[in-house]
């Protein structure tokens, strides 16, 4: 099963990808995670990507496409994958189409996570990530028991992603609207798009996703 999860920042793509990984036994490929890892490891690619990420803008297509090309040919992606946060614009979608055509592995579904802008804002400002294991919490919607990771306990300090700061969120949502929403009609025209109500608790959204995948 080859799936694209499409949705604004904060729509729950990362959380739902992890559930899909368990259910279908295919890897999550998150360009945001790959880029954050490159930034943390101070690789050349990470250094190039950092300023755009900090400003809430898209990283250069060439950087992202190079990363995706390498990742898609890894053996664990042979049976399928969940693309989370990619493609983000029409040029990336067209490049992806070309890559998958060469590999003879076309997409099966594009799932659009539908969520109100106000809810998105609250989800993003409330998001906290465990520095140790990467688990995601939300101080409003799924608060940790104490101000620490429920799993790593006192070793798991919760931090806010730099691009989840209020001043950057506006820019990220603006970029989504301008550059990523055209993908909705692009994938609808290709007959791949399924819309999912993402304004519910994690389990309910996952049920909606499974229904959309199986439809
Ligand atoms: P995310 O974790 O998906 O919200 O991504 C965090 C940041 O990484 C974005 O705001 C962009 O700066 C960058 N990024 C992630 N995926 C892409 C992509 N497909 N194209 C360009 N930039 C990306």
């Amino acid at each position: 099963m080859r799936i694209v999860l499409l949705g604004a920042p904060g729509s729950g793509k990362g959380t739902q990808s992890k559930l899909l990984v368990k259910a279908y036994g295919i890897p999550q490929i998150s360009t945001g995670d790959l880029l954050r890892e490159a930034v943390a490891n101070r690789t050349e690619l990470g250094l190039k990507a950092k300023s755009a990420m900090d400003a809430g803008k898209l990283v250069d297509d060439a950087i992202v496409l190079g990363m995706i090309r390498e990742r898609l040919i890894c053996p664990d992606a042979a049976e399928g994958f969940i693309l989370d946060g990619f493609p983000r614009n029409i040029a990336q979608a067209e490049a992806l189409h070309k890559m998958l055509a060469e590999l003879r592995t076309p997409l099966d579904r594009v799932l659009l996570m539908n969520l109100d802008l106000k809810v998105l804002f609250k989800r993003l400002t409330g998001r906290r990530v465990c520095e140790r294991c990467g688990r995601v919490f939300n101080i409003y919607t799924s608060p940790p028991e104490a101000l620490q990771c429920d799993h790593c306990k006192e070793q798991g300090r919760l931090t806010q992603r730099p691009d989840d700061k209020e001043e950057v969120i506006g820019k990220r949502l603006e970029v989504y609207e301008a550059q990523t929403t055209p993908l909705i009609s692009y994938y609808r025209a290709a007959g791949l798009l399924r819309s999912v109500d993402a304004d519910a608790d994690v389990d309910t959204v996952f049920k909606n996703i499974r229904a959309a995948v199986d439809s």
Side-chain angles (χ1 to χ4, degrees), residues 78-143:
E79 297 303 317
F81 47 74
I82 301 137
L83 286 174
D84 160 10
F86 176 89
R88 283 285 230 273
N89 58 29
I90 295 281
Q92 292 182 6
E94 284 175 344
L96 173 67
H97 179 74
K98 236 172 132 185
M99 277 181 227
L100 295 179
E102 277 163 22
L103 296 168
R104 292 181 212 283
T105 52
L107 288 176
D108 295 299
R109 289 276 184 279
V110 176
L111 307 177
L112 172 66
M113 311 276 286
N114 261 321
L115 205 61
D116 190 78
L117 210 70
K118 261 196 223 141
V119 184
L120 286 172
F121 205 81
K122 193 161 179 187
R123 281 203 188 175
L124 289 166
T125 50
R127 178 157 65 183
R128 299 291 181 276
V129 184
C130 171
E131 268 185 351
R132 189 158 177 265
C133 72
R135 274 187 177 73
V136 179
F137 297 88
N138 193 294
I139 54 172
Y140 305 121
T141 54
S142 60

Side-chain angles (χ1 to χ4, degrees), residues 150-175:
D150 289 348
H151 180 73
C152 304
K153 304 295 174 196
E154 63 272 13
Q155 286 166 16
R157 208 165 68 94
L158 298 182
T159 54
Q160 189 175 36
R161 273 171 46 175
D163 58 349
D164 280 344
K165 302 249 182 321
E166 240 175 273
E167 56 278 18
V168 186
I169 290 173
K171 182 70 199 170
R172 289 169 66 205
L173 293 175
E174 204 179 284
V175 167

